[in-house]
Amino acid sequence: MVRKMGVYAVLAFVLFGLFFYWYLFYFADTKLPFEYEGSKADPSTFLNGRELDLSEDYSKIRNLLFFLSTPFEWLFYFLILLFGFSKAFKRWAENTSKYRLLQTAIYLIWLSFFSFVATFPLNYISYSLSKTYHISTQTFGSWMKDELIDFWINYGTWLIIVPILYWLMKKSQKRWWLYGWLLSIPFTIFMMFLQPVVIDPLHNDFYPLKNKELETKILTLADKAEIPARHVFEVNMANKTNALNAYVTGIGSNARIVLWDTTLNRLSDNQILFIMAHEMCHYVEKHIYFGIGGYLLLSLLGLYLTYRLMNWTARRFGKELKISDVRDIRSLPLFFMILSMLLFVASPLTNLTSRYEETRADRYAIEMTKNPEAAIASFQELTRSGLSQVNPPLLVKIFRYTHPSMLDRISMLEEYEVKHRNLQ
């Protein structure tokens, strides 16, 4: 039975991968609708033939890697349970130490290490792909350093969460999910507060914007939006990527507007001001706080469903998966697997919400700057630098895109430009 379940799981993963390979490379049509041909959203008007080919090829492979990596994570955790590795990790931990907390830490390091090794090939392929297409400029050593930093941050985070979670399971078998969620609220807010000043600087160097003339323009724009901003931060990314980005991070006094130096090097001041106005909208309309609220609501539902699904799985397949009790640390891979599946299922909704907020930010930015030419040019340059598809396949947009497609964004700006021109 165990062998059959393993074969079926691997077969399901292969069929899933083949479906998305067929969908992305043969079925999905990324051509522009004819009404947009020749418009400013048409990539043939601002990309050369080689860039068009590269963007299509790169996007297809990158999207396939995304649709392979997520179910591979499920397969990994399933096989860890099925072939008794989780049971072995617990035995090794118990043989190493008599202290329960230390046993949990040892169990976690084994599970984390095996997970890192199992997912390393796909992560390396993704890194190598971005290097081949000249998106990444990062050396292998620098990339490996970032991977290891992420490993230890994730390990440290779970080292805090897992002992508390399983202690709650033992104390309240039917309500642990609710108590765990209540404890997650201050933890989530604390991590959001910590992110820009502790975690982000582990990967990159942040410093106040060096171009003081541009900073004055941005702060004037912020004052117009009634944002009490004092500094705009610049981050050194040119030694890692050719892509462009800007974002808002943190909450309260730790909130920051951040510009990549690649953005500063490639865009004009007017283009940067449009992007900054976009980011300011997230502050003005409190998108960060709505995001935290939405995340907490979804996590409540997710933890409840995880509780129900873990118990059902243990009753139905406990013998095959070597899980006698969900309150045993051996069930942790099942917890991770179910959580990952729920996150994937919820991604169309969370992405839809994010795209709505990003559309609001685009409209806010163009109303504030009233410079559609600069706005359109900035999106065209973002497309070129990241080799992005202007019109991605539907399933890619649903499951991957937290921002509207460039077709939607540029065409909206063109409509504004025409309307604005007619009003003059």
Side-chain angles (χ1 to χ4, degrees):
M1 182 64 177
V2 169
R3 184 177 296 177
K4 277 187 178 181
M5 290 175 69
V7 170
Y8 291 152
V10 172
L11 183 61
F13 172 73
V14 170
L15 291 175
F16 185 91
L18 287 174
F19 166 78
F20 274 102
Y21 176 80
W22 166 79
Y23 174 76
L24 293 169
F25 284 83
Y26 297 102
F27 179 77
D29 184 10
T30 58
K31 292 180 180 177
L32 245 60
F34 73 93
E35 61 267 29
Y36 294 103
E37 291 180 2
S39 70
K40 293 180 181 179
D42 186 345
S44 65
T45 64
F46 60 89
L47 298 179
N48 60 42
R50 183 173 180 273
E51 289 171 335
L52 284 170
D53 291 339
L54 288 175
S55 65
E56 283 298 310
D57 293 342
Y58 176 68
S59 295
K60 286 176 182 177
I61 302 171
R62 185 181 60 171
N63 290 331
L64 179 62
L65 286 172
F66 167 80
F67 284 112
L68 288 176
S69 61
T70 304
F72 181 80
E73 184 181 355
W74 311 338
L75 178 65
F76 166 77
Y77 287 126
F78 181 75
L79 295 179
I80 283 286
L81 290 167
L82 194 65
F83 293 109
F85 284 99
S86 184
K87 185 178 179 180
F89 296 159
K90 183 185 178 185
R91 185 173 65 250
W92 297 344
E94 289 174 341
N95 291 339
T96 305
S97 175
K98 63 180 180 179
Y99 299 105
R100 182 64 59 87
L101 189 60
L102 193 55
Q103 288 173 1
T104 301
I106 295 169
Y107 174 93
L108 269 174
I109 198 67
W110 278 113
L111 181 61
S112 299
F113 173 74
F114 271 70
S115 176
F116 180 84
V117 171
T119 56
F120 183 83
L122 280 176
N123 291 337
Y124 178 76
I125 290 170
S126 181
Y127 159 73
S128 181
L129 177 72
S130 63
K131 285 281 285 186
T132 301
Y133 283 86
H134 303 290
I135 303 299
S136 174
T137 59
Q138 194 170 18
T139 64
F140 175 79
S142 174
W143 174 78
M144 197 66 207
K145 178 185 174 184
D146 283 346
E147 290 289 300
L148 291 174
I149 289 172
D150 286 339
F151 173 88
W152 288 112
I153 289 173
N154 290 333
Y155 175 74
T157 303
W158 285 114
L159 191 56
I160 296 170
I161 294 172
V162 170
I164 296 172
L165 187 69
Y166 277 83
W167 179 79
L168 290 172
M169 287 182 179
K170 289 180 172 64
K171 290 295 181 180
S172 179
Q173 189 172 358
K174 294 184 178 180
R175 294 286 182 270
W176 65 263
W177 57 273
L178 178 60
Y179 302 140
W181 177 76
L182 290 171
L183 287 175
S184 76
I185 296 174
F187 182 77
T188 299
I189 295 172
F190 176 71
M191 290 301 291
M192 287 287 293
F193 190 81
L194 213 61
Q195 182 80 32
V197 293
V198 175
I199 297 175
D200 288 346
L202 293 174
H203 290 284
N204 303 294
D205 296 324
F206 290 78
Y207 34 82
L209 188 61
K210 288 181 285 189
N211 185 337
K212 295 305 175 184
E213 183 180 347
L214 177 60
E215 184 180 48
T216 300
K217 293 178 182 179
I218 293 171
L219 293 178
T220 301
L221 199 66
D223 185 61
K224 183 180 175 182
E226 299 181 353
I227 298 174
R230 294 182 179 179
H231 297 289
V232 178
F233 285 85
E234 180 180 341
V235 57
N236 179 21
M237 290 296 294
N239 59 348
K240 291 186 177 183
T241 183
N242 285 317
L244 313 182
N245 196 19
Y247 59 90
V248 176
T249 185
I251 57 174
S253 60
N254 277 6
R256 289 181 173 184
I257 296 175
V258 179
L259 274 164
W260 286 9
D261 60 348
T262 51
T263 305
L264 293 165
N265 296 336
R266 297 274 288 274
L267 299 185
S268 68
D269 283 6
N270 285 336
Q271 291 166 352
I272 290 171
L273 288 174
F274 169 77
I275 291 175
M276 286 292 93
H278 170 103
E279 298 304 329
M280 288 173 190
C281 177
H282 294 309
Y283 179 93
V284 171
E285 297 196 355
K286 296 179 172 56
H287 290 165
I288 293 174
Y289 296 99
F290 284 121
I292 293 172
Y295 165 79
L296 290 174
L297 285 175
L298 279 177
S299 66
L300 174 61
L301 177 61
L303 282 172
Y304 173 72
L305 291 174
T306 301
Y307 151 74
R308 296 299 298 266
L309 289 169
M310 284 183 74
N311 285 328
W312 178 84
T313 305
R315 287 194 304 269
R316 180 68 178 81
F317 301 106
K319 183 179 178 182
E320 291 80 4
L321 299 179
K322 285 80 176 174
I323 301 173
S324 56
D325 189 340
V326 295
R327 295 171 295 180
D328 192 302
I329 191 68
R330 287 181 295 175
S331 70
L332 185 60
L334 178 63
F335 176 83
F336 284 155
M337 182 178 72
I338 292 173
L339 208 60
S340 176
M341 288 178 168
L342 292 175
L343 285 170
F344 184 77
V345 170
S347 61
L349 175 61
T350 57
N351 289 343
L352 180 65
T353 304
S354 177
R355 288 196 299 271
Y356 170 76
E357 291 180 345
E358 297 297 336
T359 300
R360 294 273 303 178
D362 284 347
R363 294 188 182 280
Y364 178 93
I366 194 59
E367 289 293 342
M368 176 172 277
T369 59
K370 300 189 184 301
N371 192 338
E373 183 179 345
I376 290 170
S378 68
F379 283 151
Q380 290 174 339
E381 188 58 36
L382 282 168
T383 302
R384 178 182 292 105
S385 65
L387 292 180
S388 306
Q389 286 176 309
V390 169
N391 187 33
L394 179 62
L395 290 181
V396 173
K397 185 176 179 179
I398 289 173
F399 284 97
R400 287 208 68 189
Y401 272 48
T402 56
H403 289 62
S405 69
M406 284 302 180
L407 174 61
D408 295 332
R409 303 181 87 172
I410 295 176
S411 59
M412 183 275 289
L413 293 171
E414 275 198 292
E415 289 173 10
Y416 174 89
E417 187 177 31
V418 171
K419 181 181 177 181
H420 189 69
R421 189 185 304 129
N422 290 339
L423 291 176
Q424 288 179 341

